[in-house]
């Protein structure tokens, strides 16, 4: 009966009576009762209908409450599934980034580290977990930071950057070179962060430095002894001539020697011998010594 349903709520009755004003005093108080062997959700509304009369309205909102609970459970399940999918995707992406030979990092706008892959941590000889939120200055050092500052300012303005950076190697006295790329992450017109990609170009850089030193030596030797020299960069398939080679061939310094046009200064028969000698040198590391006429561009031999 009504009294049995209201009995647990009677402690609240003095609060409703104290309102002393006509209108809704209590609207939508929910409680549970054991009704006909089943837990039911009841909504109680109290209204003053006269100065001395208080009307109670009870409504069975069990199905509505159960529907709310089902919707809440379904929503939570969907959120949990989406969270699991995001976590799985992040783990897969992290595995991919850690497997890359290239060093990858992400820097916040305030130059604190957001993410770094394992290769990046190894490059700087640090534990990856300990690098989180570290400032760029602490990882690079002040000297390297000063060198990189113009590029950092440019990428934070939205412009991608690419440059080479020299740094100390993992052993005392060792030097290494990295090709650095800064890529801005622009959202709604603002740079939120930027990505740093580092490729180890130490071997290539050292080869270029060695080649430059050899070229300098060849130029000096050519000037002293009227000797021409040439070299082939097998990786780039490019041909280098020393300064005196241009004089020997009767061409200006604006002439661009290649593997093809460099052989045109010799007869067809001699070109076959020259090609064979070059091929043997590349494939078998063999030495060779050939003597043959050279036809210059200005008609001399």
């Amino acid at each position: 009966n009504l009294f049995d349903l209201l009995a647990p709520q009677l402690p609240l009755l003095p609060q409703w009576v104290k309102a002393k004003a006509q209108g809704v005093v209590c609207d939508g108080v929910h409680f549970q009762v054991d009704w006909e062997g089943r837990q039911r959700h009841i909504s109680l509304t109290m209204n003053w209908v006269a100065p001395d009369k208080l009307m109670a309205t009870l409504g069975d909102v069990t199905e509505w409450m159960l529907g709310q609970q089902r919707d809440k459970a379904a929503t939570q399940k969907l959120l949990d599934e989406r969270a699991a999918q995001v976590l799985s995707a992040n783990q897969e992406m992290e595995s991919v980034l850690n497997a890359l030979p290239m060093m990858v990092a992400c820097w916040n706008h305030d130059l604190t580290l957001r993410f770094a892959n394992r290769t990046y941590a190894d490059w700087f000889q640090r534990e990856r977990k300990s690098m989180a939120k570290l400032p760029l200055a602490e990882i690079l050092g002040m000297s390297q930071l000063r060198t990189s500052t113009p590029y950092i300012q440019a990428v934070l303005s939205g412009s991608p950057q690419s440059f080479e950076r020299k740094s100390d190697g993992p052993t005392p006295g060792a030097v290494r070179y990295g090709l650095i790329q800064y890529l801005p992450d622009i959202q709604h017109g603002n740079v939120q962060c930027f990505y740093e990609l580092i490729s180890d170009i130490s071997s290539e850089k050292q080869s270029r430095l060695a080649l430059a030193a050899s070229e300098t030596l060849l130029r000096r030797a050519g000037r002293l002894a009227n000797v021409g020299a040439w070299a082939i960069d097998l990786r780039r398939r490019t041909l280098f001539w020393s300064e005196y080679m241009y004089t020997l061939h009767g061409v200006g310094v604006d002439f661009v020697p290649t593997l093809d046009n460099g052989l045109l200064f010799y007869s067809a028969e001699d070109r076959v011998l020259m090609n064979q000698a070059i091929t043997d040198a590349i494939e078998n590391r063999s030495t060779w010594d050939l003597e043959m006429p050279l036809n210059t561009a200005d008609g001399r031999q």
Side-chain angles (χ1 to χ4, degrees), residues 199-265:
S199 300
D200 187 355
I201 59 169
S202 299
S203 297
E204 181 181 352
K205 182 71 173 181
Q206 289 165 358
S207 296
R208 293 206 305 263
L209 292 174
L211 179 59
S214 298
E215 291 172 354
T216 300
L217 182 60
L218 288 173
R219 281 194 293 269
R220 291 176 180 173
R223 286 195 297 267
L224 292 174
N226 289 338
V227 173
W230 55 269
I232 300 175
D233 186 333
L234 297 178
R235 181 179 297 179
R236 295 184 175 84
R237 300 287 297 172
T238 55
L239 180 64
F240 164 76
W241 276 7
S242 69
E243 185 176 328
Y244 194 68
M245 285 287 284
Y246 295 90
T247 302
L248 284 176
H249 288 75
V251 295
V253 293
D254 57 342
F255 178 78
V256 180
T258 66
L259 295 176
D260 293 327
N261 66 21
L263 294 177
L264 295 179
F265 294 94

Side-chain angles (χ1 to χ4, degrees), residues 12 35-36 46-47 134 176 217 228 247 259 274:
L12 296 175
W35 190 357
E36 297 179 353
M46 302 294 292
N47 291 276
L134 283 181
R176 59 188 176 185
L217 182 60
T247 302
L259 295 176
M274 183 75 78

Side-chain angles (χ1 to χ4, degrees), residues 63-84:
E63 294 303 322
W64 179 83
M65 290 293 293
L66 292 177
Q68 290 288 97
Q69 293 173 359
R70 286 193 296 268
D71 291 345
K72 183 178 180 180
T75 300
Q76 186 61 49
K77 181 181 179 182
L78 180 60
L79 290 175
D80 291 343
E81 290 175 351
R82 293 291 174 84

